[in-house]
């Protein structure tokens, strides 16, 4: 496609929204909307007892609480591993001493360029300080076995897509 025109419609603190006018190879023209996002990092944390650490978190767009793994937006000048190291401590009160990169994937490529970098976090140690929640966060810590999470997913409990995807990327490395 040939880019004919691009305009920034909105600049936010976490993402931008732009509209691009494109000409396709068949000469058809159209407008494509895109959320531009710096990307995010996610951890599938596993306690020494084999439990997964998830968060039940209020999400405005979903009009309710969603089950998800700890994750965060990559800050300017930061790499994904630094982002998730910081986020897991802030959101769960645990520190991971062993990390394994699981992969990366687009979250919603139909309208966003956001990429999620997924990691398995093991050899966890509980920190002496309680988790820090940002002012706009409402988080409850949830410990589940792999079987419990699979049942919740298949039963239709609200679980976000990045967590479902990362869980199945991590599944071969997780306890039964």
């Amino acid at each position: 496609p040939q880019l004919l025109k691009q305009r920034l419609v909105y600049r936010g603190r976490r993402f931008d929204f732009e509209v691009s006018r494109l000409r396709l190879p068949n000469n058809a023209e159209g407008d494509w909307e895109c959320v531009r996002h710096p990307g995010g990092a996610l951890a599938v944390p596993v306690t020494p007892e084999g439990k997964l650490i998830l968060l039940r978190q209020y999400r405005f767009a979903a009009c309710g609480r969603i089950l998800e793994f700890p994750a965060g937006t990559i800050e300017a000048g930061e790499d994904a591993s630094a982002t998730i190291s910081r986020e897991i401590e802030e959101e769960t009160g645990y520190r991971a001493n062993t990390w394994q990169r699981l992969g990366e994937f687009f979250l919603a490529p139909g309208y966003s360029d956001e990429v999620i970098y997924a990691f398995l976090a093991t050899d966890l140690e509980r920190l002496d300080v309680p988790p820090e929640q940002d002012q706009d966060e409402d988080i409850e810590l949830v410990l589940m076995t792999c079987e419990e999470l699979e049942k919740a997913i298949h039963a239709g409990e609200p679980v976000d897509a990045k967590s479902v995807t990362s869980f199945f990327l991590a599944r071969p490395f997780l306890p039964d």
Side-chain angles (χ1 to χ4, degrees), residues 49-126:
E49 300 77 31
K51 298 272 188 149
L52 304 172
I53 300 176
L54 293 110
L55 312 171
R56 188 166 279 118
Q57 185 166 206
Y58 177 77
R59 294 297 192 181
F60 173 77
C63 301
R65 295 171 71 75
I66 303 290
L67 197 59
E68 56 192 277
F69 285 115
T73 300
I74 298 171
E75 303 287 337
E78 188 175 54
D79 69 13
S81 60
T83 297
I84 197 53
S85 292
R86 174 178 42 81
E87 289 290 336
I88 195 172
E89 290 183 20
E90 290 175 0
E91 293 183 343
T92 71
Y94 284 85
R95 174 178 294 127
N97 292 304
T98 304
W99 293 91
Q100 179 180 341
R101 189 167 178 160
L102 296 171
E104 60 190 67
F105 51 90
F106 285 100
L107 189 58
Y111 63 84
S112 176
D113 66 351
E114 181 177 5
V115 173
I116 300 294
Y117 300 88
F119 297 86
L120 180 63
T122 57
D123 192 20
L124 300 183
E125 63 180 280
R126 188 93 169 112

Side-chain angles (χ1 to χ4, degrees), residues 11 14 23 25 27 32 72 87 93 108 114 118 143-144 148 150:
R11 180 173 303 281
R14 294 188 188 213
R23 179 176 296 127
N27 283 327
W32 274 262
E87 289 290 336
E114 181 177 5
L143 298 177
M144 300 179 101
E148 289 168 333
E150 283 183 27

